[in-house]
């Protein structure tokens, strides 16, 4: 006679996850940069802005967030009454730590009419010290709507400069943060890839360097890149963002071709998340995001402002 453990092994991971989801009222959210096997089992897949909206809209009491630390924090900030579980608590975003509360305070002191605009790729402490959050999908719209004439954009300097070019009526101060994945993409690498695939359009994320953006045919968020490639009559593209996007690109465009630059473009933190870790967290539920109440209220305000201004 089979034991329960032997029976469990005869059921696929996906089936076990589905059973737990129904049993425990769980929704699984996954970022485009996670592995395709994780995206395949998620209920919702998207970029940071889309997932932050979905986290608020879904009725489920438990969210399993397949992403890096700041994403789980953001989901918890927007849903204090929900349980937010992280499959891998070591999955982190280096850029999220490339700003400081001390620098924010110094900038505020030196600039009376300044809005601290915080990219969602940041810690809860940095969000709490900011006026509003943004994502790459809504940054231009949010910044343009602010009454302040001076903007301190943190933590990513590349995205900040891209936004500044779209909103020339405002004065920008930049932080020196960056995405370690997008900055590995070079303009020279893009040109070499273009030489191999001359018919391809270059689609770039605004976290890339200004030199890469200068040779791009389209610049936009992860979701924007997917939408552009899908709507385009072109059949071949050079993609300047993390490789996890390929899963959705191929789903929506099975007959189109997608090329990456020099074989890089991998966020190893995102790839730490696996279906096995998702299943383990559904079983054990021991890696819930916990945040200080006072900090949550301050940081949640910046996220609420983003959702309001980005409508």
């Amino acid at each position: 006679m089979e034991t329960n453990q032997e029976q469990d092994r005869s059921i696929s991971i996906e089936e076990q996850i589905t059973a737990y989801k129904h049993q425990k009222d769980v929704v699984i959210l996954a970022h485009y940069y996670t592995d395709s096997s994780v995206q395949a089992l998620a209920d919702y897949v998207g970029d940071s802005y889309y997932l932050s909206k979905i986290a608020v809209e879904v009725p489920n009491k438990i969210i399993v967030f397949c992403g890096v630390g700041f994403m789980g924090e953001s989901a918890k900030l927007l849903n204090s009454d929900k349980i937010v579980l992280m499959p891998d608590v070591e999955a982190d975003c280096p850029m999220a730590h490339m700003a400081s509360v001390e620098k924010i305070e110094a900038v505020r002191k030196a600039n009376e009419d300044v809005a601290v605009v915080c990219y969602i790729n940041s810690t809860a402490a940095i969000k709490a010290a900011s006026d509003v959050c943004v994502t790459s999908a809504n940054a231009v719209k949010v910044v343009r709507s602010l009454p302040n004439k001076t903007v301190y954009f943190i933590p990513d300097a590349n995205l900040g400069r891209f936004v500044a070019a779209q909103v020339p009526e405002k004065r920008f101060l930049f932080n020196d943060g960056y995405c370690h994945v997008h900055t590995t993409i070079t303009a020279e690498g893009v040109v070499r890839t273009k030489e191999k695939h001359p018919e391809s359009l270059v689609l770039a994320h605004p976290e890339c360097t200004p030199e890469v953006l200068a040779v791009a045919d389209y610049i936009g968020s992860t979701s924007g890149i997917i939408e552009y490639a899908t709507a385009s009559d072109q059949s071949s593209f050079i993609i300047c963002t993390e490789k996890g996007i390929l899963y959705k690109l191929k789903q929506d465009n099975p007959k189109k071709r997608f090329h990456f630059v020099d074989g890089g473009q991998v966020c190893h933190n995102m790839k730490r998340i696996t279906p096995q870790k998702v299943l383990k967290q559904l079983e054990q539920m021991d890696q819930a995001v916990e945040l200080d109440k006072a900090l949550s209220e301050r940081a949640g305000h910046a996220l609420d402002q983003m959702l309001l201004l980005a409508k």
Side-chain angles (χ1 to χ4, degrees):
M1 185 174 181
E2 284 187 320
T3 65
N4 288 337
Q5 189 174 17
E6 288 169 337
Q7 289 173 348
D8 286 345
R9 281 201 295 267
S10 68
I11 303 173
S12 70
I13 288 177
E14 291 76 17
E15 289 172 322
Q16 293 178 64
I17 288 173
T18 298
Y20 274 119
K21 280 168 52 181
H22 293 309
Q23 177 187 339
K24 298 186 176 184
D25 190 26
V26 171
V27 64
I28 299 177
L29 310 183
H31 195 275
Y32 285 128
Y33 296 166
T34 56
D35 188 77
S36 59
S37 62
V38 174
Q39 295 184 51
L41 59 81
D43 298 295
Y44 298 93
V45 180
D47 59 11
S48 297
Y49 180 50
Y50 173 77
L51 294 177
S52 65
K53 290 197 299 179
I54 289 296
V56 175
E57 294 169 3
V58 292
N60 309 77
K61 294 301 181 185
I62 300 174
I63 298 171
V64 175
F65 209 118
C66 301
V68 292
F70 77 81
M71 296 178 180
E73 283 188 345
S74 295
K76 183 64 177 178
L77 289 170
L78 291 166
N79 301 275
S80 60
D81 59 332
K82 295 181 181 180
I83 297 172
V84 179
L85 302 172
M86 302 299 289
D88 190 323
V89 294
E90 299 299 320
D92 200 4
C93 173
M95 186 209 295
H97 305 277
M98 293 182 185
S100 73
V101 174
E102 294 75 18
K103 180 66 180 296
I104 293 172
E105 291 173 348
V107 169
R108 286 194 188 279
K109 189 174 181 179
N111 299 270
E112 185 177 343
D113 180 41
V114 65
V116 179
V117 177
C118 177
Y119 192 21
I120 199 169
N121 298 39
S122 57
T123 65
I126 296 302
K127 289 181 175 72
S130 303
D131 296 303
V132 64
C133 281
V134 296
T135 69
S136 54
N138 65 31
V140 171
K141 183 175 184 180
V142 170
V143 169
R144 188 173 282 142
S145 70
L146 294 172
N148 312 70
K149 295 300 182 184
T150 301
V151 171
Y152 178 39
F153 197 99
I154 57 173
D156 183 36
N158 288 326
L159 177 59
R161 290 190 176 92
F162 171 75
V163 174
Q166 315 305 308
V167 193
E169 65 271 21
K170 295 187 186 291
R171 169 177 170 254
F172 279 76
L173 306 171
F174 302 110
N175 186 57
D176 58 359
Y178 61 91
C179 169
H180 69 289
V181 175
H182 287 102
T183 52
T184 63
I185 305 168
T186 65
E188 294 78 11
V190 174
V191 170
R192 286 195 299 270
T193 308
K194 181 81 170 179
E195 289 172 351
K196 296 176 185 175
H197 310 283
E199 75 287 359
S200 298
L201 294 180
V202 178
L203 314 184
H205 193 285
E207 288 180 24
C208 292
T209 64
E211 292 77 18
V212 169
L213 300 185
V215 296
D217 297 292
Y218 170 80
I219 303 166
S221 66
T222 314
S223 58
I225 288 172
I226 294 168
E227 290 166 5
Y228 186 93
T230 302
S232 175
D233 293 332
Q234 198 75 9
S235 61
S236 182
F237 304 89
I238 296 168
I239 305 298
C240 299
T241 191
E242 212 276 346
K243 280 188 172 181
I245 194 178
L246 182 62
Y247 179 72
K248 179 63 172 173
L249 284 170
K250 293 301 291 183
Q251 270 192 325
D252 292 354
N253 306 277
K255 295 184 178 180
K256 294 183 179 181
R257 301 184 304 280
F258 302 97
H259 312 283
F260 292 85
V261 181
D262 293 340
Q265 301 173 227
V266 175
C267 176
H268 296 290
N269 278 285
M270 287 287 196
K271 299 303 189 281
R272 290 179 63 95
I273 302 156
T274 64
Q276 290 81 0
K277 290 179 180 179
V278 173
L279 177 59
K280 183 178 180 181
Q281 197 48 216
L282 286 171
E283 292 171 341
Q284 299 183 356
M285 295 184 61
D286 60 352
Q287 294 180 170
V289 177
E290 301 290 348
L291 296 171
D292 175 78
K293 184 177 179 180
L295 175 70
S296 295
E297 290 176 354
R298 298 198 307 274
H301 174 73
L303 283 167
D304 289 337
Q305 284 295 103
M306 175 187 77
L307 296 177
L308 177 66
L309 295 175
K311 283 182 179 179

